[in-house]
Amino acid sequence: MSPESPHARRRGLIYRKLIGLTLHVTHDVDRLALLGEVREALRGLMEFESYAWDERGVLTLRGRLTGPADQLYGVVRSRMEGLGFTPFLRRKGQADELVATPGVVERKAPRVWLPVALFLTSVFTSLLAGALYEWRDPIADGNALMATIVAIATTPALLLSGLPFAGALMGILFVHEMGHYVVGRLRRAPVSLPYFIPLPPPLSITGTMGAVIVQREPMEDRRTILEIGIAGPLAGLAVAIPLLLYGLSTSTVAPPPAGGYMQEGNSLLYGALKLAVFGQWLPGGGVDVQLNSMAWGAWIGLLVTMLNLLPIGQLDGGHIAYALLGRMADYLAYGMIGLCVVLGMLLPDNGTWLIWGVLALLIGPRHPPPLNDISRLGAGHVALAVFGLVVFALLFMPAPLRQVGG
């Protein structure tokens, strides 16, 4: 191949520059045409002062909405999705901003078979955990524990002895998750059915790690965030408190067992329920309630609700905090993570708080903004959010589980 002449190289450079310039001009023309379509689509909805594109093709429009954001957003979204954008509304200084992100979330029917299969598996593993709680024969070591688990799993009568525990715990968790799901569907949020997470003994004393609901796109506004976030804990507590009262009333008060035992944590609510049933604050006076299976399952339901109400990230409490405080909720989340670390250090025999502090950092302490972050909560929803934080305070257990003696 003959070497390229200087003239040829110069012509090639000129051609490449011309092609690049043509592509750049065409790109700008396309964006100007699309901007004109956006302006036309939003006519009567937003008055514009400026606009900007970024390298990802995100269009940011600054100006002023012509009416309340909660009334206009549905129309804005419908028109912008017709142009291939998902719109986010936010307030920056004295101006309203519409951030148009390329792409529209595809709406699919919720998957059914996998959530059902995981739920049934979690019922089975929680039955195992409950039956182990009922087991009265001593278990000497890990091999004996595994043999016991196999015996329970293969003997229906033994497995069904775990029904009071599994019924209480899974009933609370199911109602909790369905509270999120039902309110989410009523608010037309794209939430999935709950995915339960089975975790059999000896990996877990409960048989499950709870459940998660998959959210396929941001929620519409802070009111939606609050209503979906708080629905689960309130629904779960509506089941947990009666079950716990019944479980306590059928449990006995006695001195703690000889040797080592696991002490469940006290919260203001749990202590008050024991006071209502037994007429005394427990533990105290050398005695404590010896929880039967139903009471144990209901207490774990309170613990799970408390952990979900931590005001961090996308936990239920994080939803409530963001709905009420907006971006200021980030400071509350980091403060709560710091408290988790402090409690984990002060309670070295209990790693629950350290684990949750690490998980919160890994999952993310910051709550994502909704699609419409301009609309604020009304007085009724503010009161509901404050009530949610009060419920967390009533459920808070400084030492959820601790080993005593042994």
Side-chain angles (χ1 to χ4, degrees):
M1 181 180 293
S2 60
E4 188 179 23
S5 70
H7 293 292
R9 285 198 299 271
R10 194 159 47 247
R11 285 197 303 272
L13 179 61
I14 293 172
Y15 291 155
R16 286 193 293 273
K17 285 184 176 181
L18 287 174
I19 291 171
L21 180 61
T22 302
L23 291 174
H24 181 71
V25 170
T26 302
H27 183 61
D28 286 346
V29 170
D30 289 343
R31 284 190 168 182
L32 283 173
L34 185 54
L35 177 63
E37 292 182 43
V38 169
R39 285 179 175 273
E40 184 61 31
L42 298 180
R43 185 183 299 276
L45 300 173
M46 186 174 185
E47 298 172 353
F48 305 108
E49 297 172 357
S50 62
Y51 73 92
W53 295 91
D54 70 9
E55 65 279 1
R56 300 169 299 160
V58 176
L59 171 63
T60 301
L61 300 163
R62 288 178 59 86
R64 179 67 59 186
L65 293 172
T66 59
D70 56 341
Q71 296 178 17
L72 297 180
Y73 180 78
V75 181
V76 169
R77 183 175 185 180
S78 175
R79 295 184 183 180
M80 292 299 293
E81 285 184 344
L83 297 175
F85 289 101
T86 297
F88 290 79
L89 291 179
R90 63 192 184 189
R91 178 77 38 80
K92 278 295 184 73
Q94 299 300 313
D96 298 330
E97 279 193 352
L98 189 154
V99 180
T101 303
V104 177
V105 175
E106 183 181 357
R107 294 169 177 83
K108 299 179 180 178
R111 184 184 296 178
V112 175
W113 68 267
L114 182 57
V116 170
L118 288 173
F119 174 74
L120 294 177
T121 305
S122 295
V123 169
F124 175 76
T125 53
S126 63
L127 281 169
L128 279 177
L132 271 178
Y133 189 75
E134 290 287 339
W135 192 265
R136 294 296 175 256
D137 295 334
I139 300 176
D141 53 30
N143 290 333
L145 175 60
M146 291 306 300
T148 302
I149 292 173
V150 171
I152 291 172
T154 55
T155 309
L158 293 177
L159 186 64
L160 289 177
S161 68
L163 188 57
F165 170 83
L169 178 59
M170 292 301 294
I172 293 166
L173 295 180
F174 178 79
V175 171
H176 178 122
E177 296 301 328
M178 291 309 293
H180 291 312
Y181 179 75
V182 170
V183 173
R185 301 303 291 181
L186 289 174
R187 293 286 283 150
R188 298 183 179 180
V191 294
S192 71
L193 287 165
Y195 291 83
F196 281 81
I197 307 171
L199 194 65
L203 300 177
S204 166
I205 62 173
T206 63
T208 178
M209 289 184 65
V212 296
I213 285 181
V214 178
Q215 179 186 322
R216 294 186 292 273
E217 64 181 68
M219 297 186 195
E220 181 166 319
D221 52 29
R222 294 191 188 186
R223 187 176 67 174
T224 304
I225 291 174
L226 172 63
E227 291 178 357
I228 296 175
I230 202 171
L234 294 186
L237 285 176
V239 176
I241 291 175
L243 287 176
L244 183 56
L245 285 171
Y246 178 78
L248 289 173
S249 68
T250 53
S251 299
T252 59
V253 173
Y261 63 95
M262 191 68 73
Q263 174 69 59
E264 81 276 9
N266 240 359
S267 66
L268 292 175
L269 178 61
Y270 181 47
L273 292 176
K274 290 188 291 185
L275 179 64
V277 173
F278 301 113
Q280 63 182 115
W281 188 266
L282 296 172
V287 297
D288 195 8
V289 59
Q290 308 304 305
L291 297 176
N292 61 24
S293 291
M294 179 172 288
W296 173 234
W299 178 85
I300 292 176
L302 291 189
L303 174 64
V304 171
T305 304
M306 182 269 288
L307 292 173
N308 271 288
L309 282 172
L310 289 170
I312 299 172
Q314 295 200 68
L315 295 174
D316 297 341
H319 291 323
I320 295 168
Y322 187 89
L324 183 64
L325 303 173
R327 283 271 67 95
M328 295 295 292
D330 294 345
Y331 298 104
L332 181 59
Y334 284 110
M336 183 55 63
I337 292 173
L339 179 60
C340 289
V341 173
V342 170
L343 288 174
M345 295 174 64
L346 293 178
L347 304 170
D349 61 332
N350 191 303
T352 302
W353 288 119
L354 282 177
I355 292 171
W356 273 90
V358 171
L359 284 176
L361 284 173
L362 292 176
I363 295 171
R366 292 170 59 88
H367 192 289
L371 295 167
N372 167 19
D373 205 18
I374 292 178
S375 298
R376 297 295 185 260
L377 300 180
H381 282 83
V382 168
L384 182 62
V386 172
F387 177 70
L389 297 178
V390 170
V391 169
F392 169 68
L394 293 175
L395 291 173
F396 184 75
M397 304 176 193
L401 281 171
R402 62 189 183 93
Q403 183 69 32
V404 178

